[in-house]
Amino acid sequence: MSLLQTRPALPSDDKRWKLVNAAMRRNGYAGHALIETLHSVQESFGYLDEPAMRFVAGSLDLPLSKVYGVATFYHLFMLKPKGRHACVVCTGTACYIKGAGSLVDAVEARFGVKPGETTEDDRLSVLAARCVGACSLAPAVVVDGDLAGKQTADRLVAKLEELA
Amino acid sequence: MNLDDLAEKAEEYRARDAGITHEVRVCVAAACQSGGSLPVLEALKAECDSGGTCKVKGVGCMGLCSAGPMVAIAPKGGAIPDSILYREVKPEDAADVLASVGGAPVERLHTPTDQPFFARQQRIVRENSGLIDPESFTGYVAAGGYAGLIKALSEMTPGDVLREMTTSGLRGRGGGGYPTGLKWSTVAKMPADQKYVICNGDEGDPGAFMDRAVLESDPHRVLEGMCIAAYAIGATKGYVYVRAEYPLAVQRMELAIRKAKRSGFLGSKIAETQFSFEVEIRLGAGAFVCGEETALMASIEGLRGQPRPRPPYPAEAGLWGYPTLINNVETFANIAPIITHGGEWFAGIGTAKSKGTKVFALAGSIKNIGLIEVPMGMSLREIIEEIGGGCPGGKAFKAVQTGGPSGGCIPAAHLDIAVDYDSLKTLGTMMGSGGMIVMDETCDMVDVARYFMEFCMSESCGKCIPCRTGTWQMHELLDRITKSKGTHKDLALLEELCDVVQATSLCGLGQSAPNPVLSTLRYFREEYEAKLTAE
């Protein structure tokens, strides 16, 4: 094995790959930077697809199986693109007791998607979070990054219907 | 640098605010921010006369999160009980709030600070929360910060620090309750040229947000604790492992590390001594099991967060095989005051076997939702009825859930118990990290048990069979019972499975997964039986 390893070229001239590469370079292309690197891929592209995982595996000199293993182990990593809008329903204990389940049911009844799914027109992804730490505002949802507390089923469905 | 030099620095920082008599403090921790506290801060800053005697600043969590955005008017350096506290403040209230500085409070916003929620607390971990600007290094030093570290470095040997920790009787605040002094001493004894300090900020228990508030409100306090620990055990490198779900905590911790480094309190030759210590942040990625120490280390190494059997304990072979000290955020936040005031002082607070204070997150069906810090040994009744204000809407209290998915429910009959590590164990639950979810009479306990089992099932890492299949099977059984399709046989099988999973799982997640079922069976068995169908 030669001491100088050749790293794979960036998959495309998309500037976002440079951000990913910078995250790996910061950690000296060490294998233990895998999770940091996957975070930066997801931040840049929104999800992890196969070319991205192949690129990361090649760059960090890790087997693809290991990269795939880590990407599927952690709940935060998404292997599929999200819809144009994302609604995260908190299902932590405090939210659950205050009716998070009825929020999930109402969204499913109206839009036909369960947590983890995206509507067919790519308009809305519904996700469930284990606890967003907003227990004082239970039940809480995060719609497109904005936290909204003290939700009811009607209010949430109305809010989601307004999204284009 | 010695303590006098630091005191001089603190004085210099305080002198910058010499003309100020009052502070208007706006909570900028996560809960209040989501309620809109940043626009309130901006409005107050715009409204405030910059040359006057009043200073507007963002501060950490004041505790009463359900009433956010919170604003406090305090005499400079004053604690929360000495201040005028306002709840649910909006930007348009800015002028009224500022007009009340040094005068009568604005009635429509006022929240009395002599109510038990504030008056009954004893703040050690959270003494700076809600008082200082979490993004300011000088603010922390001006409030007496880094005095513990400087005292340790300039006046104590590592052995002295270890002795002080042992005397204090501090026990791990992550839930296990392992004596901190003993843990530190074990790592210190290991002969190795490389050791690590890890701060566990992977607060995964749903319903718990204590560590989040500490990291967001007083990040330097955690760094100072880690630094003292590194000095005591001979480590040169540390990691803070934080959940990616807490972006604000990550951001504030990054800033604190940068500022501490620039000021010479982190990095090489700290405070002009030979001691060097570097800290890096590692992000979690949404795996509850990573709160388990061996899984957490695997995650820092870039692997799947799967636990491994212990021994060897991290103290012998931890991160990359080197001796490693892992403590929780709240544990590290207790270190600096112990070094400053001495172990004896700390040991004088709390009960015989559980020393100091504990931060609890009150949530669920309770009036005052938020964070509190009370001495160990306070009764559950005082915490829930007096400090928490009881269940809202006149509903009757039914149970309180402590310890998250690894804990259990405590019914009304046991409310007079004094809360410490050992008393909670006798009731079949545990202290856990400090989440307390209050349930009222409308709550279905079997459904609660099913909820926690679903949580454990989806968070099981899949490495050992009892946890991987056991939690799945138990969830199926509970699901059947909640849908009134279960039989007596199902219930008997559920109880048997609880025993097996508890006894044979590899790590804490599996071993404690049956706890919510066992404790609801112990206190609310009739609810299970009422749902069973005759065979």
Side-chain angles (χ1 to χ4, degrees):
Chain A
M1 201 174 94
S2 88
L3 283 173
L4 274 176
Q5 268 172 17
T6 46
R7 294 198 187 89
L10 303 186
S12 71
D13 52 9
D14 190 327
K15 281 202 180 104
R16 288 175 291 184
W17 290 115
K18 291 200 171 145
L19 293 174
V20 174
N21 210 25
M24 293 191 283
R25 195 170 47 234
R26 228 180 4 256
N27 289 290
Y29 294 95
H32 62 78
L34 175 57
I35 296 176
E36 304 294 301
T37 309
L38 294 180
H39 271 302
S40 93
V41 175
Q42 179 148 316
E43 244 169 61
S44 310
F45 293 91
Y47 70 109
L48 315 172
D49 61 5
E50 199 192 308
M53 284 189 272
R54 281 190 188 281
F55 170 64
V56 170
S59 305
L60 300 181
D61 196 22
L62 294 170
L64 184 59
S65 59
K66 191 168 164 185
V67 175
Y68 187 72
V70 167
T72 50
F73 181 85
Y74 292 97
H75 297 302
L76 220 66
F77 294 131
M78 317 258 303
L79 303 194
K80 280 184 286 186
K82 275 192 278 193
R84 290 198 299 284
H85 300 283
C87 171
V88 182
V89 181
C90 179
T91 56
T93 320
C95 290
Y96 182 76
I97 285 180
K98 296 214 165 173
S102 69
L103 299 183
V104 172
D105 292 344
V107 170
E108 191 187 344
R110 171 64 187 80
F111 300 99
V113 277
K114 287 194 181 74
E117 296 176 352
T118 303
T119 54
E120 280 186 8
D121 59 0
D122 266 346
R123 196 167 72 98
L124 178 70
S125 290
V126 179
L127 304 156
R130 274 313 177 188
C131 184
V132 296
C135 311
S136 52
L137 307 169
V141 297
V142 181
V143 178
D144 289 341
D146 291 329
L147 195 132
K150 300 174 184 168
Q151 292 294 304
T152 61
D154 294 342
R155 210 188 310 162
L156 178 60
V157 167
K159 185 197 283 278
L160 295 180
E161 276 174 343
E162 278 173 22
L163 300 173
Chain B
M1 183 188 272
N2 59 28
L3 279 173
D4 292 336
D5 303 335
L6 184 76
E8 213 169 278
K9 258 209 163 101
E11 192 46 52
E12 179 196 322
Y13 295 145
R14 279 194 292 268
R16 289 181 192 174
D17 285 337
I20 304 292
T21 59
H22 283 83
E23 293 174 344
V24 178
R25 301 169 181 156
V26 184
C27 174
V28 289
C32 282
Q33 269 203 19
S34 66
S37 71
L38 290 182
V40 173
L41 179 67
E42 288 312 309
L44 283 165
K45 276 191 172 160
E47 193 81 26
C48 185
D49 170 18
S50 61
T53 56
C54 175
K55 182 183 180 181
V56 177
K57 67 177 189 180
V59 297
C61 175
M62 300 186 214
L64 196 56
C65 303
S66 55
M70 302 289 291
V71 173
I73 297 176
K76 192 164 88 174
I80 291 178
D82 308 326
S83 51
I84 299 174
L85 205 57
Y86 293 132
R87 60 187 296 151
E88 293 164 43
V89 181
K90 297 192 174 53
E92 51 270 29
D93 297 322
D96 288 349
V97 168
L98 287 172
S100 72
V101 173
V106 184
E107 273 314 316
R108 67 171 195 283
L109 303 168
H110 190 214
T111 292
T113 48
D114 56 356
Q115 57 179 312
F117 185 85
F118 297 104
R120 298 295 306 273
Q121 294 197 42
Q122 180 174 6
R123 292 155 67 105
I124 296 175
V125 168
R126 287 168 51 74
E127 65 180 337
N128 288 331
S129 288
L131 270 60
I132 64 165
D133 179 352
E135 299 188 348
S136 162
F137 170 80
T138 54
Y140 181 68
V141 173
Y146 285 110
L149 175 65
I150 298 299
K151 183 178 176 188
L153 291 180
S154 63
E155 297 176 6
M156 299 166 85
T157 64
D160 292 339
V161 176
L162 295 175
R163 264 189 299 281
E164 216 56 64
M165 291 312 298
T166 309
T167 310
S168 75
L170 176 67
R171 293 169 69 175
R173 295 291 193 250
Y178 191 81
T180 307
L182 188 56
K183 199 186 234 181
W184 287 24
S185 303
T186 313
V187 188
K189 272 190 216 123
M190 295 301 296
D193 42 7
Q194 175 75 60
K195 292 178 191 176
Y196 293 100
V197 173
I198 298 176
C199 172
N200 184 348
D202 190 54
E203 187 173 51
D205 284 9
F209 46 103
M210 300 79 49
D211 294 349
R212 170 178 203 159
V214 172
L215 291 169
E216 285 175 356
S217 307
D218 202 4
H220 284 286
R221 175 61 89 77
V222 179
L223 286 178
E224 187 180 354
M226 290 179 72
C227 243
I228 295 169
Y231 173 68
I233 66 162
T236 52
K237 172 102 206 179
Y239 290 96
V240 184
Y241 188 90
V242 192
R243 299 178 78 195
E245 290 90 333
Y246 289 176
L248 188 63
V250 173
Q251 189 193 320
R252 294 224 168 117
M253 194 34 124
E254 271 171 356
L255 188 70
I257 291 174
R258 238 184 3 254
K259 289 192 171 177
K261 218 169 171 173
R262 202 188 308 146
S263 313
F265 287 87
L266 272 184
S268 57
K269 301 205 168 153
I270 292 174
E272 296 132 38
T273 63
Q274 289 305 307
F275 170 62
S276 300
F277 184 56
E278 299 275 352
V279 177
E280 258 182 66
I281 294 189
R282 280 283 186 265
L283 286 189
F288 174 67
V289 71
C290 287
E292 201 277 342
E293 53 186 19
T294 59
L296 187 147
M297 291 187 303
S299 185
I300 291 181
E301 292 174 16
L303 308 170
R304 281 191 267 175
Q306 287 186 318
R308 58 159 177 79
R310 296 174 302 180
Y313 285 90
E316 302 156 54
L319 198 59
W320 289 296
Y322 292 104
T324 302
L325 173 76
I326 300 192
N327 274 134
N328 162 272
V329 170
E330 195 183 327
T331 312
F332 280 124
N334 268 305
I335 308 301
I338 291 176
I339 297 300
T340 312
H341 305 300
E344 294 279 353
W345 162 79
F346 192 82
I349 304 164
T351 64
K353 286 188 173 165
S354 303
K355 303 298 186 189
T357 58
K358 179 78 193 84
V359 182
F360 291 107
L362 297 179
S365 182
I366 188 158
K367 219 181 265 165
N368 298 328
I369 298 176
L371 286 175
I372 57 160
E373 181 173 356
V374 294
M376 292 276 189
M378 186 178 268
S379 80
L380 262 180
R381 189 180 300 282
E382 286 172 280
I383 293 176
I384 289 164
E385 292 181 358
E386 290 181 32
I387 296 181
C391 300
K395 286 182 191 151
F397 169 88
K398 186 169 188 182
V400 57
Q401 212 277 343
T402 68
S406 321
C409 297
I410 303 167
H414 292 290
L415 268 188
D416 287 310
I417 194 157
V419 176
D420 67 18
Y421 289 102
D422 312 287
S423 67
L424 290 181
K425 268 192 196 143
T426 62
L427 291 181
T429 177
M430 60 189 265
M431 175 82 84
S433 54
M436 281 194 181
I437 315 269
V438 178
M439 298 165 191
D440 61 40
E441 55 191 338
T442 61
C443 206
D444 177 344
M445 301 313 281
V446 187
D447 191 53
V448 168
R450 190 195 62 85
Y451 165 81
F452 280 117
M453 193 53 74
E454 189 190 348
F455 181 89
C456 292
M457 175 181 75
S458 69
E459 293 298 330
S460 172
C461 78
K463 181 165 176 168
C464 74
I465 298 166
C467 176
R468 183 178 68 221
T469 36
T471 52
W472 197 85
Q473 293 291 349
M474 287 193 285
H475 178 258
E476 282 293 288
L477 289 167
L478 284 164
D479 199 45
R480 210 180 302 168
I481 296 171
T482 48
K483 288 177 178 151
S484 298
K485 289 179 187 158
T487 62
H488 283 93
K489 236 170 143 181
D490 287 333
L491 189 58
L493 184 59
L494 178 65
E495 291 192 85
E496 192 191 327
L497 266 174
C498 282
D499 277 349
V500 173
V501 173
Q502 198 169 42
T504 57
S505 291
L506 171 63
C507 81
L509 194 157
Q511 287 159 11
S512 61
N515 286 359
V517 182
L518 290 171
S519 90
T520 45
L521 270 172
R522 178 165 162 188
Y523 299 116
F524 302 98
R525 194 181 185 92
E526 67 286 355
E527 289 193 26
Y528 282 83
E529 280 168 351
K531 288 185 198 297
L532 297 179
T533 57
E535 221 158 322

